[in-house]
Amino acid sequence: MARYAYERLSAQDATFLYAEGPNQPMHVGAVAIFEAEPLCTDTGSIDIDLYRRAIEGVLHWIPRYRQKLAYTPVEGWPIWVDDRRFDLGYHIRHIALPKPGSQAQLKELTARIHARALDRRHPLWEIWVIEGVENGSQVAILNKIHHCMIDGAAGADLSQILMSASPRLEIPEPVPFMPRPEPTTPELLADAVRVGLKRPFSAIAGLAGSEPPVAETPEGPGWGERLQSLGRMLEYALRPASETPLNGDLGPHRRLDWLTMPMSDLADVSRELGCTMNDVVLTTVCGAVRRYLFRRRVDYRNLDFRVAAPVSTREKGHDRRQGNHVSTWIVPLPLQIDEPLQQLAAIQETTRALKKERAALAVDTLMLAAEWLPTPVLERSVALAQGPANMIVTNVPGPQFPLYAVGARMYGMYPLVPLLPGGGLGVALFSYEGKLCWGFNADHELVPDVARFVDDVRVSFEALRSAAVTEFMARRTGTEAPSEPADSEAGTRAKPTRARKRQGSKRKRRTRESPAPAYDDLAASEPAVAH
């Protein structure tokens, strides 16, 4: 038995390291908002030592948090080794907003922090505790974790390790950290030779279907299905997506924004229209992109605008806390369609076809083959594995019960996804305690008006919900539902009939009397706090 210990990164985990560049950090993140009082000392400031002790008490559940990167000789493959100089104070940082601690100030500060890449000489994570939010009544916690460590599903699990489902203040005793010996260069070289001899046979076995399959159907995929799925991805790669104002060379700076919606609103639309929540989200994004491009004076009707939608491929046997088990769907958005319900029908047809065709096998196949590819070849295949798309939209389910950090209740958590190469906007969603939390990560120069895009998301969903209500009422009354334009800023109105004019005038009166709910940062859906 070897006296040393280390773990090799999977090919998929390694791709997130290779994808990182000077203006493209590849860490995921989240901004969580908490009540401040339980975290405060008698002087009113945040007790950062208490918070650090609470995190230290659960670190034994997260081995990667005390490991750093190293590389094998010759092949240069990344591995995890224990950090013998691990310092918790380096990773948990404390800062305060100037008064009044507005949401605008918080977004500006978190954008600056989030734009900075993680230092690879240390374990690849940071937690920033930001006090003084909303005149000290709230505290924000910004998490940064490199994508080579976790995917979205693992991140949701991680949030339940770092926090508690109980409001009681319980800080476990830390388990002593005994770092394992780090291998020497000759030892790594000998291991690399052994692994290199076995790797082609393991990859062939995986491609033949003896490895756990992608989590779409119970039976394992064969060579034919894998090659067909890979061929469809290659078609997209050879035919670039259309250029838009959202795309271009990424700069070093970012803009962040977020939005909270009651999850019941999206669930009602999903149920009444017989579609998935992801279909509702993609349709909402479709309407928002139409409005945004219209305002930027772009003719979107003939654009081939694609969204990269990550799809979890986790199985019961996969480790729920570490590593990536994710593939990607490339979903073209039907920007040429005006009506929200028709947009939804087109997106639903696309996602059903992607699921039936097992499109997630393309990335899965690439990653299986990449396990025995030379490192330079793997580095060059990163762009293909990420998929040729204009932007990324990901939706991660979270707990539907309240979480607490050292007794402080979390109001909402807004996820932040890394930007794709050439993609200036990333949208991530996290469901929590009856709320759907939208997080927006944007390039500072490509998307200078990200707040306007957030408004477009609000309006787009309201247009979809209004159309769904009209459809529902039409079914109940046995009349034909009138078609409506997606919004007032984009699209061509059909000539209204007399009945439609009457209905429209009634709708206008109803709107003046009881306006649609305005989704904002947090206040509209903030739960009552029980002390």
Side-chain angles (χ1 to χ4, degrees):
M1 180 179 294
R3 63 164 188 83
Y4 54 88
Y6 69 93
E7 292 88 39
R8 291 173 64 92
L9 275 71
S10 70
Q12 187 169 44
D13 293 344
T15 58
F16 292 108
L17 289 175
Y18 301 144
E20 194 162 54
N23 294 337
Q24 189 176 338
M26 290 303 295
H27 53 261
V28 296
V31 178
I33 309 295
F34 294 84
E35 59 172 327
E37 185 178 353
L39 282 168
C40 288
T41 63
D42 294 339
T43 61
S45 62
I46 295 299
D47 191 342
I48 192 64
D49 292 332
L50 179 69
Y51 181 75
R52 284 182 179 140
R53 291 201 304 272
I55 298 300
E56 187 179 16
V58 299
L59 279 185
H60 61 284
W61 293 109
I62 321 169
R64 292 285 182 265
Y65 268 39
R66 288 190 282 210
Q67 293 175 332
K68 63 180 181 179
L69 287 173
Y71 294 87
T72 61
V74 183
E75 67 170 346
W77 195 272
I79 60 174
W80 294 113
V81 298
D82 288 352
D83 184 6
R84 301 179 63 85
R85 297 181 177 86
F86 176 77
D87 178 12
L88 184 61
Y90 170 84
H91 295 276
I92 299 180
R93 306 179 182 189
H94 184 203
I95 196 170
L97 283 177
K99 290 185 178 181
S102 65
Q103 291 291 317
Q105 290 174 300
L106 178 61
K107 291 171 184 177
E108 182 179 359
L109 177 62
T110 52
R112 290 178 179 178
I113 297 173
H114 191 70
R116 290 160 39 182
L118 294 164
D119 189 342
R120 294 194 183 186
R121 296 172 298 178
H122 301 274
L124 297 178
W125 65 278
E126 293 174 0
I127 294 178
W128 291 74
V129 179
I130 306 169
E131 66 172 290
V133 181
E134 299 295 345
N135 279 314
S137 64
Q138 297 176 357
V139 59
I141 296 181
L142 170 63
N143 274 274
K144 295 170 59 177
I145 313 167
H146 202 284
H147 211 330
C148 72
M149 294 171 61
I150 62 169
D151 57 19
D157 293 336
L158 182 63
S159 67
Q160 297 185 54
I161 296 175
L162 296 175
M163 290 179 277
S164 170
S166 170
R168 291 176 297 184
L169 181 59
E170 297 178 353
I171 300 180
E173 286 295 322
V175 176
F177 175 50
M178 303 294 290
R180 302 169 300 176
E182 187 174 338
T184 63
T185 298
E187 289 167 340
L188 284 174
L189 186 59
D191 287 350
V193 172
R194 286 194 295 269
V195 171
L197 292 174
K198 295 179 181 178
R199 203 179 302 149
F201 301 101
S202 300
I204 292 172
L207 289 171
S210 61
E211 295 289 324
V214 174
E216 291 187 13
T217 60
E219 65 274 8
W223 276 90
E225 287 178 296
R226 289 186 179 277
L227 291 176
Q228 288 177 7
S229 180
L230 191 57
R232 285 188 290 269
M233 173 173 275
L234 288 172
E235 288 180 11
Y236 276 122
L238 295 174
R239 182 167 46 89
S242 299
E243 295 182 2
T244 76
L246 290 169
N247 304 111
D249 294 333
L250 298 179
H253 307 297
R254 298 290 179 265
R255 298 179 192 267
L256 303 184
D257 214 318
W258 45 79
L259 171 67
T260 309
M261 288 184 178
M263 198 165 65
S264 58
D265 287 359
L266 283 85
D268 289 344
V269 172
S270 172
R271 182 177 58 253
E272 294 300 334
L273 298 179
C275 62
T276 67
M277 287 277 285
N278 281 334
D279 292 335
V280 175
V281 168
L282 289 173
T283 304
T284 301
V285 171
C286 178
V289 170
R290 279 169 51 93
R291 289 178 55 86
Y292 184 83
L293 294 180
F294 179 85
R295 192 167 50 252
R296 297 286 293 265
R297 291 172 172 78
V298 174
D299 185 358
Y300 51 76
R301 290 171 294 182
N302 297 317
L303 291 181
D304 181 9
F305 191 96
R306 304 171 194 164
V307 161
V311 179
S312 177
T313 60
R314 287 186 171 268
E315 295 288 335
K316 291 182 179 178
H318 287 155
D319 189 342
R320 296 288 296 180
R321 296 177 190 143
Q322 301 176 54
N324 288 268
H325 300 281
V326 65
S327 186
T328 304
W329 283 354
I330 304 298
V331 183
L333 293 187
L335 300 183
Q336 72 280 5
I337 299 177
D338 294 336
E339 310 295 337
L341 295 184
Q342 293 179 19
Q343 293 171 8
L344 176 64
I347 289 173
Q348 190 176 21
E349 183 180 356
T350 298
T351 55
R352 282 175 176 171
L354 288 170
K355 188 172 184 179
K356 184 178 180 180
E357 296 168 359
R358 309 184 73 176
L361 286 176
V363 173
D364 188 62
T365 302
L366 282 175
M367 292 303 103
L368 282 173
E371 291 292 344
W372 57 275
L373 289 176
T375 302
V377 176
L378 180 58
E379 290 178 353
R380 289 178 175 82
S381 67
V382 167
L384 176 62
Q386 290 178 333
N390 296 89
M391 64 182 295
I392 183 170
V393 178
T394 181
N395 186 8
V396 178
Q400 297 309 304
F401 50 84
L403 293 176
Y404 300 83
V406 201
R409 183 167 183 163
M410 185 173 79
Y411 294 145
M413 178 184 287
Y414 305 94
L416 303 169
V417 67
L419 299 183
L420 294 175
L425 179 63
V427 179
L429 298 93
F430 182 74
S431 55
Y432 166 70
E433 199 189 4
K435 299 182 287 289
L436 194 62
C437 302
W438 297 66
F440 303 86
N441 183 19
D443 181 85
H444 192 275
E445 302 299 331
L446 292 175
V447 191
D449 50 353
V450 64
R452 296 294 303 274
F453 185 84
V454 176
D455 290 336
D456 293 333
V457 168
R458 292 187 182 97
V459 174
S460 175
F461 176 71
E462 281 304 315
L464 176 60
R465 184 167 69 163
S466 176
V469 169
T470 303
E471 176 81 6
F472 173 72
M473 295 303 297
R475 286 201 305 267
R476 290 199 54 179
T477 58
T479 60
E480 184 180 353
S483 60
E484 297 184 15
D487 51 65
S488 60
E489 207 172 306
T492 304
R493 289 187 180 273
K495 188 176 180 179
T497 61
R498 231 178 249 179
R500 185 173 171 183
K501 285 180 180 177
R502 289 195 299 270
Q503 187 173 5
S505 112
K506 291 179 182 177
R507 187 179 296 110
K508 287 178 182 176
R509 288 198 297 271
R510 286 199 303 270
T511 302
R512 284 195 296 267
E513 294 166 1
S514 55
Y519 304 121
D520 58 13
D521 291 334
L522 201 61
S525 56
E526 181 175 300
V529 179
H531 294 286

